[in-house]
Amino acid sequence: MTNMMCPMCLEGGRVVILSSKTEKHVLTEAWCCNNCRHAWRTEPWKLSNANDFFKDAYYTKVAFSKKLDATKIGMFKHFEQLASKAISQQPRLMVDFGCSYGILLQIFKEHNWQIMGIEISSGSQKVLIEKGLPLAPTIEEAGLSLGTVDVVVMSDSLYYLPDPIGTLRKIQSYMKTNGYLFLRQPTRGGLISLLQKVSKGIAFDYRLWHDHVHLFSRKSTELALKQVGFIE
């Protein structure tokens, strides 16, 4: 046990160290909360520049990302259908946080949405520019006014961030009071849990140490959204 506080449930005294590793001569640790089962690690940004981290990551390579994004088209179309059903007035604005190559942006644009993509990967930014899609590396640099966004989509992006709660608060400040957040991410209670059992922990270790900074459980996801006020 450590004296650390879980960033999701804010419980102290129930955090355990999962593992420790040395990267670039810097000791990094991974922790787990025994209350909400949230796991997190020292973020790679402490070791290198964020842009360098994403530039070198395998999932930012053009061929891999385009193939991966293609598998999400059905889900993205469903997001648009739900959003358009909930919000019909014009103009309406959607922000895709972690927009990759802009597939979701294009789908919403085709259905008369104003769009903005937030993307830190330089490789993805190049593709977005070639497609003529609006983008910014951070939401603060997107030129948006507070309280003007109807829909924010975060698909497979929250767990890469060093401060998920702070990011959610920032995003909420740009949203209308009746806006919608579409959050999609793996949890420890889903596929990752199954893979962990089958691989005897290898899948869990890979996820936490090779790309994710946070590994949410269903409970910690709900607690994060409650902290910010997205749900009661």
Side-chain angles (χ1 to χ4, degrees), residues 93 95 114 116 118 138-152 170-177:
L93 173 61
V95 172
Q114 295 180 358
M116 172 57 67
I118 308 299
T138 67
I139 197 166
E140 296 95 331
E141 299 173 80
L144 304 173
S145 299
L146 298 178
T148 60
V149 179
D150 295 286
V151 170
V152 173
K170 193 174 298 180
I171 287 172
Q172 188 185 53
S173 70
Y174 284 91
M175 296 177 66
K176 294 179 179 178
T177 55

Side-chain angles (χ1 to χ4, degrees), residues 66-99:
K66 286 186 175 180
K67 182 178 180 180
L68 180 63
D69 285 351
T71 66
K72 301 179 181 179
I73 290 177
M75 178 182 68
F76 288 162
K77 288 182 177 179
H78 185 54
F79 284 174
E80 182 280 320
Q81 290 168 0
L82 291 173
S84 292
K85 183 177 181 180
I87 302 172
S88 58
Q89 85 282 0
Q90 298 285 349
R92 50 190 182 176
L93 173 61
M94 185 279 293
V95 172
D96 186 1
F97 193 99
C99 62

Side-chain angles (χ1 to χ4, degrees), residues 209-229:
W209 283 104
H210 291 274
D211 50 17
H212 297 186
V213 178
H214 293 267
L215 192 53
F216 285 82
S217 66
R218 293 180 182 180
K219 184 175 181 179
S220 69
T221 300
E222 181 178 330
L223 289 169
L225 294 173
K226 281 184 177 180
Q227 269 200 62
V228 180

Side-chain angles (χ1 to χ4, degrees), residues 20-38:
S20 300
K21 292 188 179 182
T22 300
E23 297 180 86
K24 299 182 180 179
H25 307 292
V26 177
L27 176 65
T28 58
E29 294 180 322
W31 306 279
C32 175
C33 174
N34 277 340
N35 179 49
C36 69
R37 306 304 298 165
H38 187 78

Side-chain angles (χ1 to χ4, degrees), residues 159-197:
Y159 46 76
Y160 294 116
L161 306 174
D163 182 13
I165 299 297
T167 300
L168 286 171
R169 291 191 193 282
K170 193 174 298 180
I171 287 172
Q172 188 185 53
S173 70
Y174 284 91
M175 296 177 66
K176 294 179 179 178
T177 55
N178 61 343
Y180 291 84
L181 172 68
F182 289 78
L183 176 65
R184 188 264 189 187
Q185 62 185 15
T187 66
R188 292 184 64 180
L191 177 62
I192 294 302
S193 179
L194 176 61
L195 289 176
Q196 182 184 358
K197 293 177 182 177

